[in-house]
Amino acid sequence: SQTIHQWPATLVQPVGSPLSLECTVEGTSNPNLYWYRQAAGRGLQLLFYSVGIGQISSEVPQNLSASRPQDRQFILSSKKLLLSDSGFYLCAWSRMENQPQHFGDGTRLSIL
Amino acid sequence: EDKVVQSPLSLVVHEGDTVTLNCSYEVTNFRSLLWYKQEKKAPTFLFMLTSSGIEKKSGRLSSILDKKELSSILNITATQTGDSAIYLCAVGLSGGGADGLTFGKGTHLIIQP
C-alpha cells in the first residue's frame, strides 16, 4: 500500500529565515505530487504540483519554491520567510491526473 | 475565478441524527467533485463524483452530484461522535495544465453524545 510522509510536523521560524519542508511517497512510482497551504479561515490553496522529476508548476506567485529531486520526493522551500507564510502545509499525491489525491499529515508553520 | 462554496460552515447535531452537507461550485471545465474528511491533520478521501458516477455510497455516508444545479450533497445517517470533523469539498478541473483541486472552506461538523 502507498504511504506519504511529511516532516516536520510543526515548525516555528523567525521572519527572514529559510525554510525546507520535505515530503516522500512510498509504494508507488511516478506519482503526481502537490503542495497545498491551509490558512486560517480559508480553504486549501494549491501552491505547486509536479508530474515528474524536475517538473514543477506554480499556481500562485509567492515567496516559496518547490523542487522534485527524486521520483517520490517533493520539497517546499523559501529563502526568506514572511509573516504571511504562516499556515498548515499539506503534501499530496495521486496516481495520475483525475485520480483522488491523498494527503500527508501536514506541517504547521508559525512565523514569529 | 473558480469558486467552491460549502454550507453550513458549522453544524452541531446529536448522535443518531442525519445530516446533509452542501457544496456548490462555479468553475470552468468541471471534471470531478471530491469529498474529504479532515479530523486533526490529513484530509482523508471519501468520494469522487464525475459525470459517469454521480452517486456514491459507503456505509452511512452517501453523496450525490447534481451537474444541472452545479452542486453536491454529502449525507451522513445515524451519526456517531467519530463523525465529528471538518468535511471538505473540492473540484477538479480539466485542461489548462493544472491538476490541482479547488477547495471550499469546509463544514465543521460536531456530533454531541
Side-chain angles (χ1 to χ4, degrees), chain A:
Chain A
S1 65
Q2 299 81 25
T3 55
I4 178 169
H5 302 281
Q6 267 189 261
W7 65 92
T10 59
L11 190 59
V12 181
Q13 293 284 97
V15 170
S17 63
L19 173 74
S20 180
L21 302 181
E22 191 163 340
C23 170
T24 59
V25 180
E26 295 177 358
T28 188
S29 59
N30 198 31
N32 284 359
L33 296 172
Y34 312 85
W35 279 111
Y36 288 87
R37 177 170 58 204
Q38 190 173 34
R42 300 186 63 181
L44 271 77
Q45 181 184 35
L46 178 67
L47 302 176
F48 301 95
Y49 71 96
S50 172
V51 299
I53 296 174
Q55 300 177 59
I56 308 294
S57 295
S58 173
E59 288 297 299
V60 181
Q62 60 214 316
N63 184 40
L64 302 169
S65 62
S67 61
R68 185 170 177 174
Q70 299 180 40
D71 181 45
R72 289 168 290 175
Q73 183 185 29
F74 206 21
I75 297 172
L76 184 70
S77 304
S78 173
K79 292 182 179 176
K80 274 188 172 183
L81 286 167
L82 306 173
L83 282 174
S84 57
D85 292 324
S86 292
F88 190 45
Y89 288 82
L90 287 157
C91 181
W93 74 275
S94 66
R95 290 188 190 281
M96 61 183 71
E97 193 171 323
N98 202 28
Q99 292 293 306
Q101 295 178 21
H102 303 279
F103 289 84
D105 281 343
T107 294
R108 195 160 299 280
L109 175 64
S110 299
I111 311 299
L112 302 180

Side-chain angles (χ1 to χ4, degrees), chain B:
Chain B
E1 183 184 341
D2 299 320
K3 192 163 61 173
V4 177
V5 178
Q6 293 186 244
S7 64
L9 289 181
S10 64
L11 183 59
V12 181
V13 301
H14 288 100
E15 204 167 16
D17 289 350
T18 293
V19 298
T20 299
L21 309 182
N22 301 285
C23 176
S24 63
Y25 57 91
E26 289 180 33
V27 301
T28 53
N29 301 320
F30 172 89
R31 181 173 60 192
S32 59
L33 186 143
L34 295 88
W35 285 98
Y36 287 85
K37 177 183 181 182
Q38 185 176 24
E39 293 179 84
K40 290 183 180 176
K41 296 181 179 178
T44 53
F45 170 71
L46 296 175
F47 300 118
M48 186 167 90
L49 304 160
T50 65
S51 299
S52 58
I54 62 171
E55 190 166 350
K56 294 285 176 73
K57 182 175 169 63
S58 176
R60 297 177 295 102
L61 277 66
S62 62
S63 183
I64 298 174
L65 174 67
D66 187 336
K67 285 203 70 180
K68 185 177 175 185
E69 296 296 326
L70 306 184
S71 64
S72 173
I73 59 170
L74 176 68
N75 277 325
I76 308 175
T77 59
T79 52
Q80 304 170 357
T81 55
D83 296 326
S84 295
I86 297 173
Y87 289 84
L88 301 172
C89 173
V91 171
L93 309 176
S94 62
D99 188 35
L101 299 173
T102 300
F103 280 83
K105 292 183 180 180
T107 293
H108 189 186
L109 177 63
I110 297 173
I111 310 297
Q112 292 182 336

